[in-house]
Amino acid sequence: LIVHGIEHDKDGDLIVLDRTDQSTADGIYNLWFEHGGWAQLSAEIVDRGPTRAARRITGTAPGFSPKVDECASWSGIYYATPTDAGLHARDITITTPAGRCPAWRIDGAPSTWAIHIHGLGSTRAGTLRRVLAATELGHASLVVTYRNTEEGPHVGTGRSTLGHTETTDVDEAIGYAVRRGARRIVLFGWSMGAA
């Protein structure tokens, strides 16, 4: 999407975009900018005529201000890091047959752990909305990566096997939780991560 305008009012800033099914969809979203930076958008949609719609900016990457004519990608990945989501996470690694897979660990009740598995072509950040839900329920969370993704180790051809080998990496994450007291595991998956 191209930024057609930045409007300022007493409640903050609005960003004007082309009116599309995405830019007028219910819910909160994020714009990821072509040259770095991001802007979180509220659910509020403001009509700007037949071809334009505006969304209120609720947050931006530190030191970032969107500008007119910049290009951005529309995304449901609302938070870039656990800190952005107000979560206290520890960076850990899960040792798998493919190598060391980075993960975020968010503490909660030791008996129930939520394991969050992102989709193909995505990153751990895509799971953070549901990590908030698991945290509200009191669950500990483990936000994992797996082989041949942007954040995970690269093995073999470097391509996905659409879950055939990646499940081994997730199984190691489950083992990590069990060794730390988990008696119940709840799996949260997105796209291929759900498969």
Side-chain angles (χ1 to χ4, degrees), residues 63-81:
F64 177 74
S65 295
K67 297 183 179 37
V68 173
D69 295 328
E70 285 187 302
C71 291
S73 295
W74 187 264
S75 178
I77 299 176
Y78 194 71
Y79 303 106
T81 68

Side-chain angles (χ1 to χ4, degrees), residues 28-50:
I28 56 174
Y29 294 93
N30 204 337
L31 290 174
W32 296 88
F33 286 82
E34 187 173 44
H35 300 294
W38 47 265
Q40 294 169 329
L41 306 177
S42 76
E44 177 186 1
I45 303 164
V46 181
D47 182 44
R48 291 293 180 255

Side-chain angles (χ1 to χ4, degrees), residues 76-90:
I77 299 176
Y78 194 71
Y79 303 106
T81 68
T83 302
D84 295 337
L87 295 164
H88 175 70
R90 288 183 279 157

Side-chain angles (χ1 to χ4, degrees), residues 58-187:
T58 57
T60 61
F64 177 74
S65 295
K67 297 183 179 37
V68 173
D69 295 328
E70 285 187 302
C71 291
S73 295
W74 187 264
S75 178
I77 299 176
Y78 194 71
Y79 303 106
T81 68
T83 302
D84 295 337
L87 295 164
H88 175 70
R90 288 183 279 157
D91 289 309
I92 65 164
T93 56
I94 305 294
T95 303
T96 76
R100 295 168 59 83
C101 293
W104 289 317
R105 179 179 169 177
I106 297 96
D107 289 331
S111 62
T112 302
W113 284 57
I115 310 291
H116 305 267
I117 311 152
H118 67 80
L120 181 63
S122 188
T123 65
R124 289 178 286 166
T127 71
L128 289 171
R129 285 186 185 193
R130 295 302 174 252
V131 174
L132 286 170
T135 300
E136 286 177 16
L137 292 171
H139 302 333
S141 281
L142 198 55
V143 183
V144 301
T145 57
Y146 47 85
R147 66 187 71 197
N148 297 328
T149 60
E150 181 181 327
E151 298 174 291
H154 289 248
V155 296
T157 64
R159 294 184 178 199
S160 169
T161 62
L162 302 177
H164 180 71
T165 57
E166 294 85 352
T167 54
T168 303
D169 303 334
V170 175
D171 191 46
E172 292 297 331
I174 293 169
Y176 175 95
V178 169
R179 289 187 299 276
R180 283 150 185 84
R183 292 192 314 254
R184 182 170 178 238
I185 301 289
V186 180
L187 296 176

